[in-house]
Amino acid sequence: MGSTASTSELVRFARAGYPSRGDCAPGGATFLAHPSCPPRGSSASGKAYIRVLGGELRGGIFRLDGQPIVIGSSTDVNLSLPDPQALGRHAGLRYHEGKWSVEDLTGNGLSVNDISTTSRALSGGEILRVGATELQFSLEEPKSGLAEPLESKPPGRQDVLMDLVVEQGDGRDQGRRIQLFSGQEVILGRASEAQLVLHDCRSSRLHCRIEGDSREVAIVDLDSLNGTHVDGRQVQRAILRPGDTILVGRTSIRCLKS
């Protein structure tokens, strides 16, 4: 757990605008939801959300109210994680001039989307690793609870064109299945607004779109950082057929005839 902060650390926290030890306002990060409880909505400026993806708090959702917060294993930070690998005051988040950013408070670097950094602007969908705990930052209100099998059948659309099944990737995603209906589009990515949300640091927030009708099913890359691949070939747009394998970041998705 965290040790007593030195004078130099307190000066650094104050300059960055983060609360010092013992000054963490309880309103900075509000625990909205246990995995079984839905979060309350809000549209006020500076609102953001952190969803815990692993550990004892897995599935929990915290709302940020625009105030600087500190995340770590200490009991007197805004967001306290029961994680022995996290330092007492591990990371700080703040909202400044209309934008959120995260900063490492350990001096050892912070992992954002599997990339070590000292500070980074956040646009939503990023996965932060604090100790052994993964947290997803979102500007949109996340769905509460853990990943559930997707029920995507839209009313009035009965023609199933294809089944999409996650074969390899994060353990929370493996085995998930979604059906593509005629006239429907399915977006894959890390963002909470995607129809197939992936716990994959290598995928983009809105990575690719799959759409189809009675004539064909196509996949379209949405200017993703690491590209969209079909059967090992990077594509901007491609026709999908049963048996094809889509690679989104490190996640492998199989196309199956429905």
Side-chain angles (χ1 to χ4, degrees), residues 81-110:
L81 301 174
D83 181 346
Q85 295 187 36
L87 297 186
R89 305 173 71 83
H90 201 112
L93 276 79
R94 65 171 177 159
Y95 184 72
H96 181 63
E97 296 183 349
K99 296 180 180 179
W100 279 96
S101 62
V102 63
E103 181 179 1
D104 168 57
L105 300 180
T106 68
N108 298 321
L110 174 74

mmCIF file of all heavy atoms in Angstrom, residues 81-110:
data_model
loop_
_atom_site.group_PDB
_atom_site.id
_atom_site.type_symbol
_atom_site.label_atom_id
_atom_site.label_comp_id
_atom_site.label_asym_id
_atom_site.label_seq_id
_atom_site.Cartn_x
_atom_site.Cartn_y
_atom_site.Cartn_z
ATOM 1 N N LEU A 81 -8.257 1.538 -4.893
ATOM 2 C CA LEU A 81 -8.301 0.212 -5.491
ATOM 3 C C LEU A 81 -7.691 -0.817 -4.547
ATOM 4 O O LEU A 81 -6.578 -0.625 -4.056
ATOM 5 C CB LEU A 81 -7.511 0.198 -6.809
ATOM 6 C CG LEU A 81 -7.968 1.162 -7.903
ATOM 7 C CD1 LEU A 81 -6.996 1.109 -9.075
ATOM 8 C CD2 LEU A 81 -9.377 0.833 -8.366
ATOM 9 N N PRO A 82 -8.393 -1.916 -4.291
ATOM 10 C CA PRO A 82 -7.817 -3.000 -3.474
ATOM 11 C C PRO A 82 -6.849 -3.828 -4.309
ATOM 12 O O PRO A 82 -7.104 -4.992 -4.630
ATOM 13 C CB PRO A 82 -9.053 -3.801 -3.043
ATOM 14 C CG PRO A 82 -10.055 -3.574 -4.131
ATOM 15 C CD PRO A 82 -9.800 -2.194 -4.662
ATOM 16 N N ASP A 83 -5.723 -3.229 -4.669
ATOM 17 C CA ASP A 83 -4.770 -3.838 -5.592
ATOM 18 C C ASP A 83 -3.373 -3.676 -5.005
ATOM 19 O O ASP A 83 -2.833 -2.569 -4.973
ATOM 20 C CB ASP A 83 -4.867 -3.146 -6.959
ATOM 21 C CG ASP A 83 -3.926 -3.748 -7.995
ATOM 22 O OD1 ASP A 83 -3.022 -4.516 -7.624
ATOM 23 O OD2 ASP A 83 -4.086 -3.430 -9.186
ATOM 24 N N PRO A 84 -2.748 -4.759 -4.523
ATOM 25 C CA PRO A 84 -1.424 -4.642 -3.911
ATOM 26 C C PRO A 84 -0.334 -4.200 -4.879
ATOM 27 O O PRO A 84 0.726 -3.755 -4.448
ATOM 28 C CB PRO A 84 -1.162 -6.067 -3.384
ATOM 29 C CG PRO A 84 -2.045 -6.953 -4.199
ATOM 30 C CD PRO A 84 -3.257 -6.140 -4.514
ATOM 31 N N GLN A 85 -0.581 -4.302 -6.188
ATOM 32 C CA GLN A 85 0.417 -3.863 -7.158
ATOM 33 C C GLN A 85 0.323 -2.371 -7.479
ATOM 34 O O GLN A 85 1.213 -1.813 -8.110
ATOM 35 C CB GLN A 85 0.279 -4.680 -8.451
ATOM 36 C CG GLN A 85 0.599 -6.158 -8.274
ATOM 37 C CD GLN A 85 0.622 -6.894 -9.599
ATOM 38 O OE1 GLN A 85 1.041 -6.358 -10.618
ATOM 39 N NE2 GLN A 85 0.165 -8.138 -9.596
ATOM 40 N N ALA A 86 -0.762 -1.738 -7.049
ATOM 41 C CA ALA A 86 -0.910 -0.301 -7.262
ATOM 42 C C ALA A 86 -0.231 0.439 -6.118
ATOM 43 O O ALA A 86 -0.279 0.007 -4.961
ATOM 44 C CB ALA A 86 -2.388 0.068 -7.329
ATOM 45 N N LEU A 87 0.395 1.571 -6.430
ATOM 46 C CA LEU A 87 0.984 2.398 -5.392
ATOM 47 C C LEU A 87 -0.110 3.223 -4.724
ATOM 48 O O LEU A 87 -1.221 3.362 -5.245
ATOM 49 C CB LEU A 87 2.061 3.293 -5.989
ATOM 50 C CG LEU A 87 3.261 2.559 -6.610
ATOM 51 C CD1 LEU A 87 4.319 3.544 -7.045
ATOM 52 C CD2 LEU A 87 3.847 1.548 -5.636
ATOM 53 N N GLY A 88 0.229 3.798 -3.574
ATOM 54 C CA GLY A 88 -0.762 4.529 -2.808
ATOM 55 C C GLY A 88 -1.413 5.649 -3.598
ATOM 56 O O GLY A 88 -2.628 5.811 -3.596
ATOM 57 N N ARG A 89 -0.608 6.449 -4.286
ATOM 58 C CA ARG A 89 -1.095 7.538 -5.134
ATOM 59 C C ARG A 89 -0.499 7.302 -6.518
ATOM 60 O O ARG A 89 0.599 7.749 -6.816
ATOM 61 C CB ARG A 89 -0.687 8.893 -4.550
ATOM 62 C CG ARG A 89 -1.137 9.074 -3.107
ATOM 63 C CD ARG A 89 -0.595 10.345 -2.480
ATOM 64 N NE ARG A 89 -1.211 11.534 -3.025
ATOM 65 C CZ ARG A 89 -2.375 12.036 -2.623
ATOM 66 N NH1 ARG A 89 -3.072 11.394 -1.676
ATOM 67 N NH2 ARG A 89 -2.863 13.136 -3.147
ATOM 68 N N HIS A 90 -1.202 6.582 -7.324
ATOM 69 C CA HIS A 90 -0.634 6.023 -8.549
ATOM 70 C C HIS A 90 -0.834 6.928 -9.770
ATOM 71 O O HIS A 90 0.074 7.117 -10.572
ATOM 72 C CB HIS A 90 -1.261 4.650 -8.813
ATOM 73 C CG HIS A 90 -0.447 3.791 -9.715
ATOM 74 N ND1 HIS A 90 0.187 2.640 -9.285
ATOM 75 C CD2 HIS A 90 -0.155 3.894 -11.025
ATOM 76 C CE1 HIS A 90 0.840 2.087 -10.302
ATOM 77 N NE2 HIS A 90 0.635 2.820 -11.372
ATOM 78 N N ALA A 91 -2.038 7.457 -9.935
ATOM 79 C CA ALA A 91 -2.355 8.241 -11.134
ATOM 80 C C ALA A 91 -3.317 9.367 -10.769
ATOM 81 O O ALA A 91 -4.088 9.270 -9.816
ATOM 82 C CB ALA A 91 -2.976 7.356 -12.210
ATOM 83 N N GLY A 92 -3.270 10.428 -11.558
ATOM 84 C CA GLY A 92 -4.179 11.545 -11.359
ATOM 85 C C GLY A 92 -4.921 11.872 -12.637
ATOM 86 O O GLY A 92 -4.356 11.780 -13.734
ATOM 87 N N LEU A 93 -6.190 12.214 -12.514
ATOM 88 C CA LEU A 93 -6.984 12.658 -13.655
ATOM 89 C C LEU A 93 -7.490 14.061 -13.370
ATOM 90 O O LEU A 93 -7.895 14.362 -12.246
ATOM 91 C CB LEU A 93 -8.185 11.738 -13.906
ATOM 92 C CG LEU A 93 -7.937 10.470 -14.730
ATOM 93 C CD1 LEU A 93 -7.297 9.397 -13.859
ATOM 94 C CD2 LEU A 93 -9.243 9.942 -15.309
ATOM 95 N N ARG A 94 -7.471 14.906 -14.392
ATOM 96 C CA ARG A 94 -8.039 16.242 -14.202
ATOM 97 C C ARG A 94 -8.673 16.750 -15.485
ATOM 98 O O ARG A 94 -8.314 16.323 -16.593
ATOM 99 C CB ARG A 94 -6.998 17.228 -13.688
ATOM 100 C CG ARG A 94 -5.857 17.519 -14.631
ATOM 101 C CD ARG A 94 -5.034 18.660 -14.077
ATOM 102 N NE ARG A 94 -3.884 18.946 -14.909
ATOM 103 C CZ ARG A 94 -3.235 20.108 -14.896
ATOM 104 N NH1 ARG A 94 -3.626 21.063 -14.086
ATOM 105 N NH2 ARG A 94 -2.194 20.305 -15.667
ATOM 106 N N TYR A 95 -9.596 17.664 -15.292
ATOM 107 C CA TYR A 95 -10.348 18.271 -16.387
ATOM 108 C C TYR A 95 -9.920 19.723 -16.482
ATOM 109 O O TYR A 95 -10.038 20.488 -15.523
ATOM 110 C CB TYR A 95 -11.841 18.164 -16.081
ATOM 111 C CG TYR A 95 -12.752 18.673 -17.167
ATOM 112 C CD1 TYR A 95 -12.912 17.970 -18.356
ATOM 113 C CD2 TYR A 95 -13.478 19.843 -16.985
ATOM 114 C CE1 TYR A 95 -13.768 18.422 -19.345
ATOM 115 C CE2 TYR A 95 -14.334 20.309 -17.969
ATOM 116 C CZ TYR A 95 -14.476 19.589 -19.145
ATOM 117 O OH TYR A 95 -15.334 20.047 -20.114
ATOM 118 N N HIS A 96 -9.393 20.113 -17.659
ATOM 119 C CA HIS A 96 -8.860 21.471 -17.816
ATOM 120 C C HIS A 96 -9.152 21.966 -19.226
ATOM 121 O O HIS A 96 -8.862 21.274 -20.211
ATOM 122 C CB HIS A 96 -7.349 21.475 -17.563
ATOM 123 C CG HIS A 96 -6.711 22.823 -17.669
ATOM 124 N ND1 HIS A 96 -7.028 23.869 -16.830
ATOM 125 C CD2 HIS A 96 -5.782 23.296 -18.541
ATOM 126 C CE1 HIS A 96 -6.316 24.926 -17.163
ATOM 127 N NE2 HIS A 96 -5.554 24.610 -18.199
ATOM 128 N N GLU A 97 -9.760 23.123 -19.310
ATOM 129 C CA GLU A 97 -10.078 23.756 -20.596
ATOM 130 C C GLU A 97 -10.849 22.809 -21.515
ATOM 131 O O GLU A 97 -10.568 22.696 -22.704
ATOM 132 C CB GLU A 97 -8.805 24.268 -21.280
ATOM 133 C CG GLU A 97 -8.106 25.373 -20.499
ATOM 134 C CD GLU A 97 -6.884 25.915 -21.221
ATOM 135 O OE1 GLU A 97 -6.463 25.294 -22.233
ATOM 136 O OE2 GLU A 97 -6.351 26.949 -20.782
ATOM 137 N N GLY A 98 -11.823 22.126 -20.918
ATOM 138 C CA GLY A 98 -12.710 21.273 -21.708
ATOM 139 C C GLY A 98 -12.169 19.916 -22.061
ATOM 140 O O GLY A 98 -12.805 19.184 -22.828
ATOM 141 N N LYS A 99 -11.013 19.525 -21.495
ATOM 142 C CA LYS A 99 -10.429 18.234 -21.837
ATOM 143 C C LYS A 99 -9.957 17.517 -20.584
ATOM 144 O O LYS A 99 -9.472 18.138 -19.633
ATOM 145 C CB LYS A 99 -9.238 18.411 -22.796
ATOM 146 C CG LYS A 99 -9.626 18.993 -24.150
ATOM 147 C CD LYS A 99 -8.403 19.130 -25.044
ATOM 148 C CE LYS A 99 -8.777 19.713 -26.406
ATOM 149 N NZ LYS A 99 -7.590 19.869 -27.274
ATOM 150 N N TRP A 100 -10.097 16.166 -20.612
ATOM 151 C CA TRP A 100 -9.574 15.328 -19.540
ATOM 152 C C TRP A 100 -8.174 14.838 -19.888
ATOM 153 O O TRP A 100 -7.849 14.626 -21.057
ATOM 154 C CB TRP A 100 -10.476 14.115 -19.326
ATOM 155 C CG TRP A 100 -11.692 14.397 -18.503
ATOM 156 C CD1 TRP A 100 -12.941 14.687 -18.945
ATOM 157 C CD2 TRP A 100 -11.764 14.422 -17.080
ATOM 158 N NE1 TRP A 100 -13.795 14.898 -17.900
ATOM 159 C CE2 TRP A 100 -13.099 14.731 -16.738
ATOM 160 C CE3 TRP A 100 -10.841 14.209 -16.054
ATOM 161 C CZ2 TRP A 100 -13.524 14.840 -15.414
ATOM 162 C CZ3 TRP A 100 -11.252 14.300 -14.735
ATOM 163 C CH2 TRP A 100 -12.584 14.618 -14.429
ATOM 164 N N SER A 101 -7.348 14.658 -18.861
ATOM 165 C CA SER A 101 -6.016 14.080 -19.060
ATOM 166 C C SER A 101 -5.674 13.214 -17.850
ATOM 167 O O SER A 101 -6.247 13.368 -16.767
ATOM 168 C CB SER A 101 -4.956 15.167 -19.243
ATOM 169 O OG SER A 101 -4.871 15.985 -18.085
ATOM 170 N N VAL A 102 -4.740 12.293 -18.064
ATOM 171 C CA VAL A 102 -4.269 11.428 -16.985
ATOM 172 C C VAL A 102 -2.770 11.630 -16.846
ATOM 173 O O VAL A 102 -2.066 11.882 -17.832
ATOM 174 C CB VAL A 102 -4.601 9.945 -17.276
ATOM 175 C CG1 VAL A 102 -3.890 9.446 -18.528
ATOM 176 C CG2 VAL A 102 -4.252 9.064 -16.072
ATOM 177 N N GLU A 103 -2.291 11.544 -15.616
ATOM 178 C CA GLU A 103 -0.867 11.757 -15.346
ATOM 179 C C GLU A 103 -0.361 10.712 -14.365
ATOM 180 O O GLU A 103 -1.045 10.369 -13.397
ATOM 181 C CB GLU A 103 -0.634 13.157 -14.769
ATOM 182 C CG GLU A 103 0.837 13.470 -14.488
ATOM 183 C CD GLU A 103 1.043 14.864 -13.932
ATOM 184 O OE1 GLU A 103 0.041 15.579 -13.748
ATOM 185 O OE2 GLU A 103 2.203 15.224 -13.665
ATOM 186 N N ASP A 104 0.840 10.207 -14.633
ATOM 187 C CA ASP A 104 1.495 9.284 -13.721
ATOM 188 C C ASP A 104 1.988 10.051 -12.499
ATOM 189 O O ASP A 104 2.593 11.114 -12.632
ATOM 190 C CB ASP A 104 2.672 8.615 -14.434
ATOM 191 C CG ASP A 104 3.562 7.865 -13.475
ATOM 192 O OD1 ASP A 104 3.051 6.982 -12.775
ATOM 193 O OD2 ASP A 104 4.769 8.178 -13.411
ATOM 194 N N LEU A 105 1.713 9.546 -11.310
ATOM 195 C CA LEU A 105 2.155 10.186 -10.073
ATOM 196 C C LEU A 105 3.226 9.376 -9.360
ATOM 197 O O LEU A 105 3.583 9.682 -8.226
ATOM 198 C CB LEU A 105 0.955 10.401 -9.132
ATOM 199 C CG LEU A 105 -0.183 11.277 -9.655
ATOM 200 C CD1 LEU A 105 -1.293 11.391 -8.613
ATOM 201 C CD2 LEU A 105 0.318 12.654 -10.055
ATOM 202 N N THR A 106 3.733 8.335 -10.022
ATOM 203 C CA THR A 106 4.717 7.461 -9.378
ATOM 204 C C THR A 106 6.142 7.755 -9.823
ATOM 205 O O THR A 106 7.090 7.388 -9.141
ATOM 206 C CB THR A 106 4.417 5.991 -9.705
ATOM 207 O OG1 THR A 106 4.669 5.755 -11.112
ATOM 208 C CG2 THR A 106 2.979 5.634 -9.381
ATOM 209 N N GLY A 107 6.296 8.368 -10.987
ATOM 210 C CA GLY A 107 7.620 8.560 -11.552
ATOM 211 C C GLY A 107 8.098 7.364 -12.345
ATOM 212 O O GLY A 107 9.180 7.396 -12.937
ATOM 213 N N ASN A 108 7.299 6.308 -12.394
ATOM 214 C CA ASN A 108 7.687 5.086 -13.101
ATOM 215 C C ASN A 108 6.940 4.884 -14.414
ATOM 216 O O ASN A 108 7.146 3.893 -15.094
ATOM 217 C CB ASN A 108 7.451 3.868 -12.202
ATOM 218 C CG ASN A 108 8.285 3.914 -10.939
ATOM 219 O OD1 ASN A 108 9.434 4.317 -10.977
ATOM 220 N ND2 ASN A 108 7.691 3.529 -9.814
ATOM 221 N N GLY A 109 6.053 5.804 -14.765
ATOM 222 C CA GLY A 109 5.290 5.654 -15.999
ATOM 223 C C GLY A 109 3.954 4.992 -15.748
ATOM 224 O O GLY A 109 3.771 4.231 -14.804
ATOM 225 N N LEU A 110 3.009 5.310 -16.610
ATOM 226 C CA LEU A 110 1.643 4.790 -16.512
ATOM 227 C C LEU A 110 1.279 4.153 -17.846
ATOM 228 O O LEU A 110 1.659 4.659 -18.904
ATOM 229 C CB LEU A 110 0.685 5.947 -16.204
ATOM 230 C CG LEU A 110 -0.805 5.651 -16.197
ATOM 231 C CD1 LEU A 110 -1.169 4.862 -14.948
ATOM 232 C CD2 LEU A 110 -1.603 6.955 -16.231
#
